[in-house]
Amino acid sequence: MATIAIVGAGPGLGAAVARRFGREGHAIALIARDAAKLDDLAAQLRSEGFEARGYAASVLDADALENALASAAADLGPISVLQYSPLPSRTYLEPVLDLTPELAIEALRFSAIGLIHAVRAVLPAMREARAGSIILINGGTSVKARAGFSGTSVAFPAESAYGEMLHDALADEGIGVSQLVIPGAIPKLNLDNGIDDVAERIWELHTTPGDFRTMLIPLEDGRE
């Protein structure tokens, strides 16, 4: 059984992606900070017939994140798909003139450094299998900086740069690395099937690797 690990899993996009991949036979590892919420979501997914387990970890705690991914692989099988989609704290959405070095460092740890730790935890098995997908989910500030969203405007491009380098470095090893940019809150994007359309696009990124970056909608049509 293939396994997808969703870092930043929650009842919205994480749950929709879990169901989309679960319908294709994937086991589901849910990773986020709140153990109780993870347990509830995993129980709901199991009641629908999916194999799902929750693993509590913050992306700011490298050891906890790596241990969660290792535990998921031991319980469910090697992770063949990694989705990195933790929702940034609103504290990162400071005006640029209020951005402190400390806040910028935390935003970078949340987005870029957390991703690096997650990738290093799952990549050896993917390289051995010569198959796998790493999928980044980011907002519009990964493409265009906004002075009122200074933390993510600093951190998302760093995450994107790492992902794009991985895309190029792993292209000949059967491992796809891609980024889906969602320029705004999903409920406000007027998608025909709402969040299920986003989950379907993520499934397509897994099954048909191509360019590194995909825009869910044009940047100018969305809002952070």
Side-chain angles (χ1 to χ4, degrees), residues 4 6 9 12 21-22 39 46 51 71 88 91 95 99 109 118 127 162 171 199 209 217:
I4 179 172
I6 302 172
F21 278 74
D39 288 344
R46 288 195 297 271
E51 176 66 26
S71 295
T91 60
L99 181 65
R109 288 177 56 217
R127 295 187 76 185
Y162 176 66
I217 62 171

Side-chain angles (χ1 to χ4, degrees), residues 1 5 21 25-26 38 40 77 81 98 107 117 120 137 141 154 159 164 168 178 190 193 200 210-213:
M1 178 179 288
F21 278 74
H26 285 67
L38 283 177
D40 288 345
V81 183
D98 295 329
H117 281 289
R120 290 179 65 84
I137 311 297
T141 50
V154 168
E159 180 183 340
E164 188 167 11
D168 295 341
S178 56
N190 297 319
N193 299 298
E200 184 63 32
D211 294 338
F212 168 66
R213 175 173 291 151

Side-chain angles (χ1 to χ4, degrees), residues 140 143-144 181-184 189 215-224:
V143 178
K144 182 175 177 57
V181 177
I182 305 174
L189 298 185
M215 301 294 299
L216 179 66
I217 62 171
L219 184 65
E220 60 271 16
D221 291 347
R223 293 290 185 272
E224 286 295 317

Side-chain angles (χ1 to χ4, degrees), residues 1-5 21 25-27 73 76-83 122-123 125-127 129-135 174-176 203 206:
M1 178 179 288
T3 300
I4 179 172
F21 278 74
H26 285 67
L76 301 171
I79 292 166
S80 52
V81 183
L82 171 69
Q83 176 177 303
V122 303
L123 192 55
M126 290 184 182
R127 295 187 76 185
R130 297 190 65 81
S133 294
I134 297 168
I135 302 170
I175 300 167
W203 172 254
H206 167 59

Side-chain angles (χ1 to χ4, degrees):
M1 178 179 288
T3 300
I4 179 172
I6 302 172
V7 178
L13 181 59
V17 170
R19 292 185 173 98
R20 182 65 186 89
F21 278 74
R23 289 198 300 271
E24 303 293 338
H26 285 67
I28 303 154
L30 306 165
I31 299 173
R33 290 174 296 178
D34 192 315
K37 290 181 180 179
L38 283 177
D39 288 344
D40 288 345
L41 179 54
Q44 176 61 43
L45 291 168
R46 288 195 297 271
S47 74
E48 298 171 21
F50 303 117
E51 176 66 26
R53 297 193 189 189
Y55 302 87
S58 167
V59 298
L60 293 173
D61 185 335
D63 289 341
L65 178 58
E66 292 181 9
N67 288 338
L69 289 164
S71 295
D75 293 340
L76 301 171
I79 292 166
S80 52
V81 183
L82 171 69
Q83 176 177 303
Y84 193 82
S85 53
L87 186 65
S89 168
R90 293 198 64 81
T91 60
Y92 302 157
L93 309 182
E94 290 287 338
V96 65
L97 296 180
D98 295 329
L99 181 65
T100 64
E102 293 78 13
L103 188 59
I105 289 170
E106 183 176 315
L108 284 163
R109 288 177 56 217
F110 187 92
S111 293
I113 306 304
L115 173 63
I116 294 170
H117 281 289
V119 167
R120 290 179 65 84
V122 303
L123 192 55
M126 290 184 182
R127 295 187 76 185
E128 182 177 354
R130 297 190 65 81
S133 294
I134 297 168
I135 302 170
L136 288 56
I137 311 297
N138 292 111
T141 50
S142 60
V143 178
K144 182 175 177 57
R146 295 181 65 188
F149 296 74
S150 60
T152 60
S153 291
V154 168
F156 278 173
E159 180 183 340
S160 301
Y162 176 66
E164 188 167 11
M165 290 186 289
L166 283 178
H167 173 273
D168 295 341
L170 296 170
D172 295 332
E173 296 191 34
I175 300 167
V177 183
S178 56
Q179 176 192 50
L180 180 64
V181 177
I182 305 174
I186 293 171
K188 299 180 181 179
L189 298 185
N190 297 319
L191 304 172
D192 290 342
N193 299 298
I195 206 161
D196 289 337
D197 281 348
V198 186
E200 184 63 32
R201 182 66 64 88
I202 292 168
W203 172 254
E204 291 169 358
L205 292 177
H206 167 59
T207 56
T208 55
D211 294 338
F212 168 66
R213 175 173 291 151
T214 295
M215 301 294 299
L216 179 66
I217 62 171
L219 184 65
E220 60 271 16
D221 291 347
R223 293 290 185 272
E224 286 295 317

